[in-house]
Amino acid sequence: MKVAGIVCSPRKGGNTEIMVQEALNGAKAQGAETELLTICDKDIRPCDGCLACLKTGKCHIKDDVPAIYDSLLQADGIVWGTPVYFFSATAQAKMLIDRSYYIYANNNRLANKVCGVISVGASLGNAGVWNLFSTFFSVHHMFSTDFVYGYARDKGTIRRDRHAMKAAAELGRQIVLMVRQNLRYPEEYDIAIYRFVKREYGIDNCVSRDRFGD
Ligand SMILES: Cc1cc2nc3c(=O)[nH]c(=O)nc-3n(C[C@H](O)[C@H](O)[C@H](O)COP(=O)(O)O)c2cc1C
C-alpha cells in the first residue's frame, strides 16, 4: 500500500510540509510505503480551458503536473496539504485541482483513492480549504477522511501546535486503515451523479443546454 502526500505551499520546508510529513510518518508506522511531493520546485500552469482532454484524455500543457498526477495515481491514499491563502487553498493547489480534468475525462482514475486534507493558517480560513477539497473529492469519487488543520505563521512554528502535529499523524494512520477497508464506489456509479444523469437519462447538467427542458 502506498500513501502519497502533496504539499501545495510555495514555501519549501514550511508548515504544511511539516504537517504532511507527519501524516506520512503516521502512515509509515502502519506499514505503508510513503512519498512526499512538493510543488515549490515544480512548474505548475493553470488549465487553459481548451477542453481537448475531454476527447483525448490527455492534457496538452507541458509542465510538471502530469508527472505529479502519475505519482498520485500510483498511491492508494493521498494527503493533500495547503496553507491558507485568503481563506482558501493556494493558487497552486487550485491549479492542480483544475488540471485534474484530464484524469476525470480519462476513466476517472482518481476514483476510490482515500484522501485526507491538511491545512495550515495563521488565523482564519481553514474551513475554506475543506470546502474546496470536499467538492474536488466528490467529483472524482475519491473517499474523504478527516480534515486536519493547524495554526502557524512563521516557517517551522507549526511544531508548537501540539494538537495539529498529533492530528496529522493520526490522519496518516486513519488513511491506512481506510485503504484497508477496500472501499469502492458501485460499478454502476463509475462517474459522479451529475454526469450519470446525462448518460442514463440524457438530461444535461449544463444550465446553458437542456437542464430545464426548454
Ligand atoms: C498570500 C498569503 C495569504 C495568506 N492568507 C491567510 C489567510 O487568509 N488566513 C490565514 O489564517 N493565514 C493566511 N496566511 C498565512 C499562512 O497560511 C501561514 O503563514 C502558513 O503557516 C503558511 O504555511 P507554509 O509554511 O506551509 O507556506 C497567508 C499567507 C500568505 C503568504
Side-chain angles (χ1 to χ4, degrees), residues 119-145:
S119 69
V120 189
S123 57
L124 292 175
N126 282 306
V129 171
W130 178 233
N131 197 25
L132 176 68
F133 275 95
S134 57
T135 50
F136 172 52
F137 295 161
S138 162
V139 167
H140 280 277
H141 274 183
M142 294 186 266
F143 290 110
S144 175
T145 61

Side-chain angles (χ1 to χ4, degrees), residues 4-173:
I6 172 78
V7 180
C8 298
S9 169
R11 188 152 72 165
K12 190 173 174 58
N15 296 319
T16 310
E17 187 172 325
I18 291 166
M19 276 190 79
V20 171
Q21 184 58 64
E22 192 67 6
L24 294 183
N25 292 346
K28 200 171 185 174
Q30 291 299 311
E33 177 197 339
T34 61
E35 182 179 11
L36 182 82
L37 301 157
T38 53
I39 58 89
C40 57
D41 46 358
K42 304 282 189 322
D43 176 19
I44 296 186
R45 302 191 200 157
C47 172
D48 62 8
C50 73
L51 296 183
C53 64
L54 296 182
K55 289 190 183 129
T56 65
K58 292 184 183 139
C59 181
H60 74 93
I61 300 172
K62 303 281 177 259
D63 64 0
D64 292 326
V65 170
I68 291 171
Y69 274 117
D70 283 351
S71 294
L72 295 178
L73 285 167
Q74 283 169 27
D76 307 288
I78 305 172
V79 181
W80 303 83
T82 178
V84 180
Y85 273 21
F86 284 89
F87 294 82
S88 189
T90 57
Q92 290 88 339
K94 184 63 165 65
M95 283 194 278
L96 265 189
I97 289 173
D98 293 346
R99 292 284 300 284
S100 70
Y101 217 44
Y102 80 95
I103 296 169
Y104 177 67
N106 184 354
N107 294 324
N108 224 19
R109 287 169 297 142
L110 281 166
N112 302 316
K113 305 283 182 201
V114 174
C115 295
V117 179
I118 288 177
S119 69
V120 189
S123 57
L124 292 175
N126 282 306
V129 171
W130 178 233
N131 197 25
L132 176 68
F133 275 95
S134 57
T135 50
F136 172 52
F137 295 161
S138 162
V139 167
H140 280 277
H141 274 183
M142 294 186 266
F143 290 110
S144 175
T145 61
D146 283 345
F147 173 46
V148 166
Y149 47 90
Y151 295 100
R153 176 189 276 167
D154 299 328
K155 196 171 170 178
T157 53
I158 192 64
R159 290 197 181 88
R160 294 176 52 227
D161 184 342
R162 295 183 307 148
H163 188 283
M165 296 303 286
K166 194 57 89 184
E170 289 295 333
L171 180 70
R173 179 169 181 269

